[in-house]
mmCIF file of all heavy atoms in Angstrom:
data_model
loop_
_atom_site.group_PDB
_atom_site.id
_atom_site.type_symbol
_atom_site.label_atom_id
_atom_site.label_comp_id
_atom_site.label_asym_id
_atom_site.label_seq_id
_atom_site.Cartn_x
_atom_site.Cartn_y
_atom_site.Cartn_z
ATOM 1 N N ALA A 1013 21.083 9.189 2.354
ATOM 2 C CA ALA A 1013 21.280 9.906 1.038
ATOM 3 C C ALA A 1013 21.123 8.951 -0.098
ATOM 4 O O ALA A 1013 20.523 7.876 0.023
ATOM 5 C CB ALA A 1013 22.738 10.535 1.073
ATOM 6 N N ALA A 1014 21.487 9.370 -1.272
ATOM 7 C CA ALA A 1014 21.408 8.541 -2.498
ATOM 8 C C ALA A 1014 22.367 7.341 -2.294
ATOM 9 O O ALA A 1014 23.617 7.520 -2.329
ATOM 10 C CB ALA A 1014 21.817 9.371 -3.725
ATOM 11 N N ALA A 1015 21.899 6.123 -2.181
ATOM 12 C CA ALA A 1015 22.700 4.913 -1.797
ATOM 13 C C ALA A 1015 22.952 4.142 -3.057
ATOM 14 O O ALA A 1015 22.149 4.012 -3.980
ATOM 15 C CB ALA A 1015 21.995 4.187 -0.659
ATOM 16 N N GLY A 1016 24.070 3.494 -2.954
ATOM 17 C CA GLY A 1016 24.497 2.641 -4.071
ATOM 18 C C GLY A 1016 23.623 1.364 -4.165
ATOM 19 O O GLY A 1016 23.247 0.885 -5.370
ATOM 20 N N SER A 1017 23.106 0.851 -3.068
ATOM 21 C CA SER A 1017 22.299 -0.295 -3.214
ATOM 22 C C SER A 1017 20.974 -0.008 -3.968
ATOM 23 O O SER A 1017 20.510 -0.869 -4.771
ATOM 24 C CB SER A 1017 21.916 -0.839 -1.720
ATOM 25 O OG SER A 1017 21.339 0.230 -1.055
ATOM 26 N N MET A 1018 20.426 1.151 -3.741
ATOM 27 C CA MET A 1018 19.194 1.543 -4.448
ATOM 28 C C MET A 1018 19.493 1.883 -5.856
ATOM 29 O O MET A 1018 18.666 1.757 -6.756
ATOM 30 C CB MET A 1018 18.486 2.676 -3.634
ATOM 31 C CG MET A 1018 18.000 2.246 -2.265
ATOM 32 S SD MET A 1018 16.972 3.493 -1.507
ATOM 33 C CE MET A 1018 15.445 3.096 -2.269
ATOM 34 N N ALA A 1019 20.703 2.533 -6.096
ATOM 35 C CA ALA A 1019 21.051 2.838 -7.449
ATOM 36 C C ALA A 1019 21.191 1.540 -8.280
ATOM 37 O O ALA A 1019 20.732 1.597 -9.541
ATOM 38 C CB ALA A 1019 22.326 3.646 -7.442
ATOM 39 N N LEU A 1020 21.646 0.490 -7.820
ATOM 40 C CA LEU A 1020 21.837 -0.722 -8.540
ATOM 41 C C LEU A 1020 20.420 -1.216 -8.967
ATOM 42 O O LEU A 1020 20.245 -1.729 -10.078
ATOM 43 C CB LEU A 1020 22.550 -1.775 -7.737
ATOM 44 C CG LEU A 1020 24.052 -1.565 -7.561
ATOM 45 C CD1 LEU A 1020 24.616 -2.490 -6.492
ATOM 46 C CD2 LEU A 1020 24.775 -1.887 -8.883
ATOM 47 N N VAL A 1021 19.488 -1.174 -8.038
ATOM 48 C CA VAL A 1021 18.146 -1.670 -8.308
ATOM 49 C C VAL A 1021 17.466 -0.811 -9.394
ATOM 50 O O VAL A 1021 16.705 -1.242 -10.178
ATOM 51 C CB VAL A 1021 17.337 -1.701 -7.059
ATOM 52 C CG1 VAL A 1021 15.856 -2.171 -7.322
ATOM 53 C CG2 VAL A 1021 17.909 -2.791 -6.027
ATOM 54 N N ALA A 1022 17.679 0.519 -9.239
ATOM 55 C CA ALA A 1022 17.034 1.433 -10.169
ATOM 56 C C ALA A 1022 17.599 1.519 -11.524
ATOM 57 O O ALA A 1022 16.954 2.024 -12.519
ATOM 58 C CB ALA A 1022 17.044 2.862 -9.477
ATOM 59 N N ALA A 1023 18.855 1.101 -11.742
ATOM 60 C CA ALA A 1023 19.485 1.241 -13.002
ATOM 61 C C ALA A 1023 18.704 0.637 -14.221
ATOM 62 O O ALA A 1023 18.579 1.203 -15.269
ATOM 63 C CB ALA A 1023 20.888 0.651 -12.898
ATOM 64 N N PRO A 1024 18.162 -0.676 -14.030
ATOM 65 C CA PRO A 1024 17.504 -1.133 -15.266
ATOM 66 C C PRO A 1024 16.316 -0.343 -15.629
ATOM 67 O O PRO A 1024 15.957 -0.240 -16.794
ATOM 68 C CB PRO A 1024 17.215 -2.585 -14.804
ATOM 69 C CG PRO A 1024 18.100 -2.845 -13.670
ATOM 70 C CD PRO A 1024 18.398 -1.617 -12.950
ATOM 71 N N LEU A 1025 15.597 0.176 -14.602
ATOM 72 C CA LEU A 1025 14.432 1.069 -14.988
ATOM 73 C C LEU A 1025 14.783 2.251 -15.749
ATOM 74 O O LEU A 1025 14.125 2.544 -16.683
ATOM 75 C CB LEU A 1025 13.764 1.465 -13.615
ATOM 76 C CG LEU A 1025 12.557 2.339 -13.686
ATOM 77 C CD1 LEU A 1025 11.336 1.690 -14.417
ATOM 78 C CD2 LEU A 1025 12.190 2.992 -12.326
ATOM 79 N N VAL A 1026 15.915 2.897 -15.321
ATOM 80 C CA VAL A 1026 16.246 4.088 -16.146
ATOM 81 C C VAL A 1026 16.722 3.699 -17.508
ATOM 82 O O VAL A 1026 16.413 4.393 -18.535
ATOM 83 C CB VAL A 1026 17.425 4.807 -15.311
ATOM 84 C CG1 VAL A 1026 17.885 6.043 -16.078
ATOM 85 C CG2 VAL A 1026 16.955 5.288 -13.898
ATOM 86 N N ARG A 1027 17.428 2.595 -17.633
ATOM 87 C CA ARG A 1027 18.014 2.218 -18.904
ATOM 88 C C ARG A 1027 16.812 1.804 -19.896
ATOM 89 O O ARG A 1027 16.930 2.122 -21.075
ATOM 90 C CB ARG A 1027 18.969 1.072 -18.603
ATOM 91 C CG ARG A 1027 19.631 0.546 -19.973
ATOM 92 C CD ARG A 1027 20.764 -0.334 -19.616
ATOM 93 N NE ARG A 1027 20.438 -1.449 -18.788
ATOM 94 C CZ ARG A 1027 20.755 -1.626 -17.507
ATOM 95 N NH1 ARG A 1027 21.443 -0.790 -16.919
ATOM 96 N NH2 ARG A 1027 20.260 -2.738 -16.883
ATOM 97 N N GLN A 1028 15.779 1.238 -19.360
ATOM 98 C CA GLN A 1028 14.811 0.700 -20.211
ATOM 99 C C GLN A 1028 13.623 1.621 -20.413
ATOM 100 O O GLN A 1028 13.008 1.719 -21.514
ATOM 101 C CB GLN A 1028 14.203 -0.713 -19.637
ATOM 102 C CG GLN A 1028 15.240 -1.811 -19.597
ATOM 103 C CD GLN A 1028 14.644 -2.967 -18.796
ATOM 104 O OE1 GLN A 1028 13.441 -3.053 -18.594
ATOM 105 N NE2 GLN A 1028 15.543 -3.864 -18.461
ATOM 106 N N HIS A 1029 13.393 2.508 -19.436
ATOM 107 C CA HIS A 1029 12.125 3.326 -19.521
ATOM 108 C C HIS A 1029 12.389 4.818 -19.430
ATOM 109 O O HIS A 1029 11.439 5.621 -19.625
ATOM 110 C CB HIS A 1029 11.102 2.930 -18.514
ATOM 111 C CG HIS A 1029 10.669 1.511 -18.705
ATOM 112 N ND1 HIS A 1029 9.803 1.053 -19.597
ATOM 113 C CD2 HIS A 1029 10.960 0.374 -18.036
ATOM 114 C CE1 HIS A 1029 9.621 -0.222 -19.523
ATOM 115 N NE2 HIS A 1029 10.278 -0.676 -18.542
ATOM 116 N N GLY A 1030 13.540 5.209 -18.872
ATOM 117 C CA GLY A 1030 13.866 6.614 -18.867
ATOM 118 C C GLY A 1030 13.757 7.127 -17.431
ATOM 119 O O GLY A 1030 13.285 6.596 -16.506
ATOM 120 N N PHE A 1031 14.287 8.385 -17.318
ATOM 121 C CA PHE A 1031 14.367 9.062 -16.091
ATOM 122 C C PHE A 1031 13.001 9.414 -15.347
ATOM 123 O O PHE A 1031 12.871 9.405 -14.170
ATOM 124 C CB PHE A 1031 15.261 10.435 -16.190
ATOM 125 C CG PHE A 1031 15.348 11.153 -15.044
ATOM 126 C CD1 PHE A 1031 16.086 10.716 -13.824
ATOM 127 C CD2 PHE A 1031 14.717 12.515 -14.877
ATOM 128 C CE1 PHE A 1031 16.185 11.513 -12.698
ATOM 129 C CE2 PHE A 1031 14.829 13.250 -13.706
ATOM 130 C CZ PHE A 1031 15.508 12.787 -12.732
ATOM 131 N N GLN A 1032 12.007 9.720 -16.180
ATOM 132 C CA GLN A 1032 10.764 10.176 -15.639
ATOM 133 C C GLN A 1032 10.101 8.982 -14.910
ATOM 134 O O GLN A 1032 9.391 9.246 -13.791
ATOM 135 C CB GLN A 1032 9.735 10.670 -16.832
ATOM 136 C CG GLN A 1032 10.288 11.876 -17.490
ATOM 137 C CD GLN A 1032 10.373 13.070 -16.535
ATOM 138 O OE1 GLN A 1032 9.478 13.234 -15.594
ATOM 139 N NE2 GLN A 1032 11.365 13.965 -16.649
ATOM 140 N N TYR A 1033 10.272 7.841 -15.382
ATOM 141 C CA TYR A 1033 9.692 6.695 -14.558
ATOM 142 C C TYR A 1033 10.499 6.466 -13.305
ATOM 143 O O TYR A 1033 9.851 5.960 -12.334
ATOM 144 C CB TYR A 1033 9.804 5.433 -15.524
ATOM 145 C CG TYR A 1033 8.715 5.305 -16.445
ATOM 146 C CD1 TYR A 1033 8.881 5.789 -17.765
ATOM 147 C CD2 TYR A 1033 7.463 4.617 -16.214
ATOM 148 C CE1 TYR A 1033 7.899 5.805 -18.726
ATOM 149 C CE2 TYR A 1033 6.539 4.537 -17.166
ATOM 150 C CZ TYR A 1033 6.698 5.116 -18.407
ATOM 151 O OH TYR A 1033 5.670 5.090 -19.346
ATOM 152 N N LEU A 1034 11.709 6.910 -13.237
ATOM 153 C CA LEU A 1034 12.409 6.809 -12.035
ATOM 154 C C LEU A 1034 11.836 7.785 -10.942
ATOM 155 O O LEU A 1034 11.681 7.413 -9.764
ATOM 156 C CB LEU A 1034 13.920 7.137 -12.186
ATOM 157 C CG LEU A 1034 14.804 7.265 -10.853
ATOM 158 C CD1 LEU A 1034 14.826 5.961 -10.229
ATOM 159 C CD2 LEU A 1034 16.180 7.671 -11.236
ATOM 160 N N LEU A 1035 11.445 8.927 -11.418
ATOM 161 C CA LEU A 1035 10.822 9.934 -10.512
ATOM 162 C C LEU A 1035 9.490 9.388 -9.949
ATOM 163 O O LEU A 1035 9.158 9.516 -8.732
ATOM 164 C CB LEU A 1035 10.533 11.239 -11.241
ATOM 165 C CG LEU A 1035 11.748 12.046 -11.740
ATOM 166 C CD1 LEU A 1035 11.295 13.288 -12.364
ATOM 167 C CD2 LEU A 1035 12.812 12.307 -10.647
ATOM 168 N N ALA A 1036 8.619 8.809 -10.871
ATOM 169 C CA ALA A 1036 7.333 8.194 -10.408
ATOM 170 C C ALA A 1036 7.676 6.980 -9.368
ATOM 171 O O ALA A 1036 6.926 6.889 -8.417
ATOM 172 C CB ALA A 1036 6.552 7.721 -11.642
ATOM 173 N N THR A 1037 8.684 6.307 -9.681
ATOM 174 C CA THR A 1037 9.021 5.198 -8.760
ATOM 175 C C THR A 1037 9.550 5.794 -7.449
ATOM 176 O O THR A 1037 9.112 5.213 -6.325
ATOM 177 C CB THR A 1037 10.124 4.334 -9.391
ATOM 178 O OG1 THR A 1037 9.658 3.766 -10.664
ATOM 179 C CG2 THR A 1037 10.505 3.195 -8.476
ATOM 180 N N THR A 1038 10.252 6.807 -7.447
ATOM 181 C CA THR A 1038 10.784 7.388 -6.101
ATOM 182 C C THR A 1038 9.696 7.814 -5.247
ATOM 183 O O THR A 1038 9.649 7.547 -4.015
ATOM 184 C CB THR A 1038 11.789 8.474 -6.444
ATOM 185 O OG1 THR A 1038 12.882 8.000 -7.230
ATOM 186 C CG2 THR A 1038 12.317 9.053 -5.141
ATOM 187 N N ILE A 1039 8.717 8.565 -5.859
ATOM 188 C CA ILE A 1039 7.551 9.034 -5.081
ATOM 189 C C ILE A 1039 6.799 7.842 -4.589
ATOM 190 O O ILE A 1039 6.300 7.923 -3.400
ATOM 191 C CB ILE A 1039 6.701 9.953 -5.978
ATOM 192 C CG1 ILE A 1039 7.519 11.198 -6.342
ATOM 193 C CG2 ILE A 1039 5.467 10.326 -5.316
ATOM 194 C CD1 ILE A 1039 6.833 12.057 -7.376
ATOM 195 N N SER A 1040 6.581 6.800 -5.375
ATOM 196 C CA SER A 1040 5.762 5.672 -4.903
ATOM 197 C C SER A 1040 6.504 4.907 -3.790
ATOM 198 O O SER A 1040 5.912 4.469 -2.777
ATOM 199 C CB SER A 1040 5.572 4.712 -6.123
ATOM 200 O OG SER A 1040 4.874 5.345 -7.148
ATOM 201 N N VAL A 1041 7.859 4.841 -3.911
ATOM 202 C CA VAL A 1041 8.619 4.157 -2.896
ATOM 203 C C VAL A 1041 8.483 4.932 -1.648
ATOM 204 O O VAL A 1041 8.291 4.316 -0.507
ATOM 205 C CB VAL A 1041 10.142 4.091 -3.310
ATOM 206 C CG1 VAL A 1041 10.987 3.738 -2.063
ATOM 207 C CG2 VAL A 1041 10.309 3.098 -4.386
ATOM 208 N N GLY A 1042 8.552 6.306 -1.645
ATOM 209 C CA GLY A 1042 8.299 7.064 -0.342
ATOM 210 C C GLY A 1042 7.015 6.853 0.181
ATOM 211 O O GLY A 1042 6.891 6.723 1.433
ATOM 212 N N ALA A 1043 5.981 6.848 -0.640
ATOM 213 C CA ALA A 1043 4.619 6.630 -0.118
ATOM 214 C C ALA A 1043 4.505 5.272 0.537
ATOM 215 O O ALA A 1043 3.842 5.211 1.649
ATOM 216 C CB ALA A 1043 3.624 6.856 -1.252
ATOM 217 N N LEU A 1044 5.033 4.251 -0.052
ATOM 218 C CA LEU A 1044 4.884 2.876 0.495
ATOM 219 C C LEU A 1044 5.680 2.808 1.789
ATOM 220 O O LEU A 1044 5.254 2.196 2.770
ATOM 221 C CB LEU A 1044 5.440 1.915 -0.419
ATOM 222 C CG LEU A 1044 5.358 0.434 -0.099
ATOM 223 C CD1 LEU A 1044 3.925 0.057 0.309
ATOM 224 C CD2 LEU A 1044 5.789 -0.538 -1.185
ATOM 225 N N MET A 1045 6.961 3.329 1.816
ATOM 226 C CA MET A 1045 7.748 3.458 3.102
ATOM 227 C C MET A 1045 6.872 4.133 4.225
ATOM 228 O O MET A 1045 6.990 3.645 5.378
ATOM 229 C CB MET A 1045 9.083 4.156 2.890
ATOM 230 C CG MET A 1045 10.055 3.394 2.114
ATOM 231 S SD MET A 1045 11.578 4.306 1.986
ATOM 232 C CE MET A 1045 12.665 3.090 1.194
ATOM 233 N N PHE A 1046 6.255 5.220 3.887
ATOM 234 C CA PHE A 1046 5.484 5.985 4.888
ATOM 235 C C PHE A 1046 4.317 5.032 5.384
ATOM 236 O O PHE A 1046 4.110 5.008 6.680
ATOM 237 C CB PHE A 1046 4.885 7.215 4.269
ATOM 238 C CG PHE A 1046 4.101 8.060 5.165
ATOM 239 C CD1 PHE A 1046 4.720 8.855 6.083
ATOM 240 C CD2 PHE A 1046 2.748 7.932 5.190
ATOM 241 C CE1 PHE A 1046 3.886 9.636 6.924
ATOM 242 C CE2 PHE A 1046 1.910 8.772 6.033
ATOM 243 C CZ PHE A 1046 2.527 9.602 6.969
ATOM 244 N N VAL A 1047 3.631 4.378 4.578
ATOM 245 C CA VAL A 1047 2.552 3.497 4.996
ATOM 246 C C VAL A 1047 3.039 2.368 5.878
ATOM 247 O O VAL A 1047 2.543 2.056 6.995
ATOM 248 C CB VAL A 1047 1.708 2.999 3.828
ATOM 249 C CG1 VAL A 1047 0.751 1.889 4.289
ATOM 250 C CG2 VAL A 1047 0.997 4.118 3.103
ATOM 251 N N LEU A 1048 4.162 1.725 5.474
ATOM 252 C CA LEU A 1048 4.745 0.582 6.066
ATOM 253 C C LEU A 1048 5.236 1.093 7.495
ATOM 254 O O LEU A 1048 5.182 0.326 8.537
ATOM 255 C CB LEU A 1048 5.846 -0.026 5.372
ATOM 256 C CG LEU A 1048 5.463 -0.736 4.075
ATOM 257 C CD1 LEU A 1048 6.619 -1.307 3.392
ATOM 258 C CD2 LEU A 1048 4.362 -1.963 4.453
ATOM 259 N N GLY A 1049 5.789 2.254 7.459
ATOM 260 C CA GLY A 1049 6.291 2.831 8.807
ATOM 261 C C GLY A 1049 5.123 3.031 9.802
ATOM 262 O O GLY A 1049 5.246 2.723 11.022
ATOM 263 N N LEU A 1050 3.960 3.424 9.350
ATOM 264 C CA LEU A 1050 2.844 3.747 10.159
ATOM 265 C C LEU A 1050 2.166 2.365 10.741
ATOM 266 O O LEU A 1050 1.707 2.338 11.829
ATOM 267 C CB LEU A 1050 1.664 4.558 9.379
ATOM 268 C CG LEU A 1050 2.075 5.914 9.126
ATOM 269 C CD1 LEU A 1050 0.917 6.543 8.305
ATOM 270 C CD2 LEU A 1050 2.373 6.779 10.314
ATOM 271 N N VAL A 1051 2.195 1.367 9.877
ATOM 272 C CA VAL A 1051 1.655 0.102 10.257
ATOM 273 C C VAL A 1051 2.599 -0.751 11.142
ATOM 274 O O VAL A 1051 2.204 -1.808 11.599
ATOM 275 C CB VAL A 1051 1.096 -0.743 9.097
ATOM 276 C CG1 VAL A 1051 0.117 0.060 8.327
ATOM 277 C CG2 VAL A 1051 2.232 -1.131 8.169
ATOM 278 N N GLY A 1052 3.811 -0.225 11.266
ATOM 279 C CA GLY A 1052 4.789 -0.999 12.201
ATOM 280 C C GLY A 1052 5.561 -2.029 11.609
ATOM 281 O O GLY A 1052 6.024 -3.059 12.385
#
């Protein structure tokens, strides 16, 4: 679920650039996790 460890990392991004950049980051994080999972 929404975890505190990731919230701490994302907080400066939201504070400096806004919520929309958080959405773009979340999608990119998911894509990178997917690729890393496939490559082992």
